[in-house]
Amino acid sequence: MKLFVQIPCLNEEETLPLVLATIPRSIPGIDEIEILVVDDGSTDGTVEVARRLGVRHFVHHTRNMGLARSFRDGVDYALRHGADVVVNTDGDNQYPQERIGDLVMPVVLGDADIVIADRQTATIEHFSPLKKALQTAGSTVVNFAAGTDLPDAASGFRAYSRGALMRLNVVTQFSYCMETIIQAGHKRLRIMSLPIATNPKTRESRLFTSMWQHIAKSAQAISRSYLMFKPHTVFITLGLLFALGAVIPFSRYAVLLAAGTPGQHLQSIVLGATSMVGALLSFALLVLADLQRTNRVLLEDTLERLKEVQYGTAAVPVRPGVPKNPRPSGGNRPGPVDRPVPMDRARPAGPADTGLADTGLADVPAAV
């Protein structure tokens, strides 16, 4: 199996050597370990440092595109070059790269499709009490939206199987962390959590300018992802609330009219009519959202098939005593995550196939 460790970087020339020095050179069950640096528009010597330290795989952005785009482009590059497992870590050395072996082992053994490191945020010294509370609240909201039970949904230290990456489609422009969990939860992918201890803080986060901006953007990403998968819950709830808001003033109007109370009671009529319009709009939007959801499912199924053609199918986890690449015994077609992979992987595509500018050394095996 081939492992790609991707490192999104934005001006990380000082901390990148620490990250590269702690990435394992060998992991049980992994035949090849490659390192990919995603340069998100760095203006310092990040790329030169990476080359000097032996990195041979790069994805370059001419300007800062954000963490979500860096993740997508890195995954695309890794899959094109035959990755069976992809680990995402950060260039600021926040995460303990020496735990990569523990992170990928459930994927290698076939026990999980995604493994997410639990930073145990309650124990991080440089996190303020407010930030710890917000991290806990955010994980609770994501778990509710995804139907999962993860203690640290915002952690970016993760391992993904090839099959999981084939099924996930990141559309947000802010951060992939929340969206991939919600998608994985609704697509019934197996997610595990691994407790870790983070490294000492090296710098402030560059993902957001303030905590409140992070909250706002995270809430937007969670809401959009939740709406994609559960439009019925959202719009039926809204429709019933508006309908209740119409029944109450209409009932009041009927009671006042039956009692012969003087006045036209226009307020009740206007409020009831407005609420009734809101209820009708909610149910109309539900129909449209449901059609969009059906269309999304069909498009994602088609996109998964296209990825299989472009990248090749998913590798089979190797367990002790089980031969590699077993053939299906019946006529049933294996599922998208568990189907066997041919021994010959798809031919890696060049920069012209993706629109990404590589260094020209993309096909040279990594030296680290």
Side-chain angles (χ1 to χ4, degrees):
M1 299 183 76
K2 179 183 285 189
L3 166 67
F4 260 83
V5 180
Q6 70 172 29
I7 313 171
C9 292
L10 175 61
N11 299 331
E12 307 286 9
E13 64 177 353
E14 294 183 3
T15 56
L16 185 58
L18 301 174
V19 177
L20 296 175
T22 53
I23 294 177
R25 268 50 178 180
S26 64
I27 297 173
I30 298 295
D31 302 312
E32 300 176 62
I33 300 177
E34 308 283 3
I35 297 177
L36 167 63
V37 169
V38 183
D39 171 30
D40 193 26
S42 297
T43 57
D44 64 354
T46 295
V47 174
E48 289 73 19
V49 168
R51 285 200 183 112
R52 187 172 69 247
L53 294 175
V55 178
R56 294 294 180 268
H57 295 281
F58 294 89
V59 170
H60 295 289
H61 293 162
T62 56
R63 55 173 294 183
N64 179 250
M65 303 295 289
L67 184 59
R69 180 59 183 269
S70 296
F71 175 79
R72 293 203 310 268
D73 290 347
V75 165
D76 176 76
Y77 182 99
L79 292 177
R80 284 190 291 116
H81 289 77
D84 298 308
V85 184
V86 175
V87 166
N88 192 87
T89 187
D90 281 351
D92 62 356
N93 199 40
Q94 173 188 174
Y95 302 116
Q97 281 71 227
E98 58 271 12
R99 297 293 305 276
I100 288 177
D102 298 327
L103 198 68
V104 303
M105 193 52 58
V107 177
V108 172
L109 296 176
D111 295 328
D113 301 307
I114 303 172
V115 182
I116 301 176
D118 172 18
R119 297 171 295 173
Q120 305 178 83
T121 53
T123 65
I124 299 179
E125 296 182 357
H126 64 268
F127 275 19
S128 66
L130 176 60
K131 188 171 184 178
K132 292 178 181 179
L134 290 173
Q135 289 280 351
T136 302
S139 295
T140 301
V141 172
V142 172
N143 286 325
F144 170 78
T148 55
D149 185 19
L150 299 169
D152 188 10
S155 173
F157 191 36
R158 305 177 174 197
Y160 294 86
S161 71
R162 183 181 184 88
L165 292 172
M166 292 285 197
R167 300 187 64 186
L168 297 176
N169 300 289
V170 178
V171 297
T172 182
Q173 298 299 316
F174 175 58
S175 173
Y176 66 93
C177 295
M178 311 293 187
E179 183 179 8
T180 52
I181 291 177
I182 295 174
Q183 285 193 30
H186 287 285
K187 293 180 180 181
R188 298 296 186 265
L189 298 180
R190 297 164 298 175
I191 311 175
M192 291 181 60
S193 183
L194 174 72
I196 63 166
T198 58
N199 294 325
K201 182 179 179 180
T202 57
R203 59 164 175 78
E204 296 296 332
S205 174
R206 298 193 182 112
L207 184 60
F208 49 87
T209 57
S210 70
M211 184 182 301
W212 303 112
Q213 183 198 35
H214 181 257
I215 293 172
K217 288 186 174 292
S218 297
Q220 181 183 16
I222 294 170
S223 301
R224 180 168 53 189
S225 299
Y226 186 74
L227 186 60
M228 286 180 182
F229 292 98
K230 289 194 173 181
H232 292 81
T233 303
V234 175
F235 289 112
I236 288 178
T237 301
L238 283 176
L240 292 177
L241 288 175
F242 277 118
L244 180 63
V247 168
I248 293 175
F250 281 154
S251 298
R252 177 179 180 273
Y253 176 79
V255 170
L256 294 176
L257 187 64
T261 305
Q264 295 181 336
H265 312 295
L266 293 179
Q267 299 92 333
S268 297
I269 296 176
V270 171
L271 179 58
T274 303
S275 298
M276 184 60 69
V277 170
L280 293 175
L281 286 176
S282 297
F283 291 123
L285 288 173
L286 170 61
V287 174
L288 296 177
D290 185 62
L291 292 174
Q292 288 278 34
R293 179 177 178 274
T294 302
N295 188 52
R296 175 185 172 87
V297 170
L298 295 174
L299 287 175
E300 286 195 333
D301 187 64
T302 302
L303 182 58
E304 184 182 344
R305 301 302 186 271
L306 290 175
K307 288 179 180 179
E308 290 173 358
V309 172
Q310 181 180 6
Y311 302 137
T313 50
V316 174
V318 179
R319 291 180 179 273
V322 178
K324 293 184 179 180
N325 302 317
R327 295 181 179 275
S329 58
N332 293 332
R333 183 174 177 270
V337 176
D338 299 319
R339 68 169 59 92
V341 63
M343 292 302 292
D344 52 332
R345 291 191 180 93
R347 178 184 64 84
D353 297 315
T354 61
L356 298 178
D358 295 330
T359 61
L361 299 175
D363 293 319
V364 179
V368 284

